[in-house]
Amino acid sequence: MREQFPVKVDADNIAASAKAASKGNGPAPVHLWNPPHCGDLDMRIARDGTWFYQGSPINRPALVRLFSNILRKDGDSYVLVTPVEKVGITVEDAPFVAEDFDVTTAEPASGKDQTISFVTHVGDRVTAGADTPIRVEFDPTTQEPAPYVTVRANLEARISRKAFYRLVDLGTHQDVDGTSMFGVTSAGTFFPFLPSEALD
């Protein structure tokens, strides 16, 4: 059983280790690091993307960005990883929020070769494509959509409501395994949201 909130591991220590290991402003090569698990940190990412430490929001964007750059998902667990330590944190939904996106097309009149590039609340930019897919889940009770885009590795961003409405405006219908589906295309990949008949 993991030790909960060990005294020897705190946010300051993790931040210092992350800063020392940082190579520029982008995400750290956490996939290359395999340090010992040092317990779980009292840190939480809320559904709206706000980071909390010991119950209080982290109000320093640079610190949130630093932590986001050393975030990794191991199985169903989220961890902050440095070369010397690994600690578990709590993520209520997805660790990131995709606040908006840009659309570019090689042939604007026809909409061909469309690419959709999202920006997250921590400054990550990702173009939806085969390796960074868009997916939509529906609440079984309310049928409320929950859209996501993969940012890196298996870390996802929840697409904001405003951005999703814009995304729906770009939607088209395509045949997928014999069924007409409604969705969007980016970087040559079609991402189905739901059967076309559900929109009737």
Side-chain angles (χ1 to χ4, degrees), residues 127-142:
T127 295
D131 295 328
T132 48
I134 298 169
R135 69 181 182 90
V136 180
E137 292 187 355
F138 290 88
D139 185 285
T141 302
T142 65

Side-chain angles (χ1 to χ4, degrees), residues 91-146:
V91 177
E92 291 184 354
D93 186 8
F96 307 123
V97 176
E99 297 180 319
D100 208 351
F101 64 86
D102 296 319
V103 182
T104 58
T105 55
E107 299 178 38
S110 66
K112 291 183 178 179
D113 299 324
Q114 173 177 278
T115 59
I116 302 171
S117 299
F118 293 89
V119 59
T120 74
H121 74 299
V122 293
D124 285 310
R125 292 185 177 274
V126 58
T127 295
D131 295 328
T132 48
I134 298 169
R135 69 181 182 90
V136 180
E137 292 187 355
F138 290 88
D139 185 285
T141 302
T142 65
Q143 292 302 302
E144 181 76 15

Side-chain angles (χ1 to χ4, degrees), residues 1 11 15 25-26 46 85 112 133 138 144 174:
M1 184 174 179
N25 295 323
E85 59 213 334
K112 291 183 178 179
F138 290 88
E144 181 76 15
Q174 288 194 27

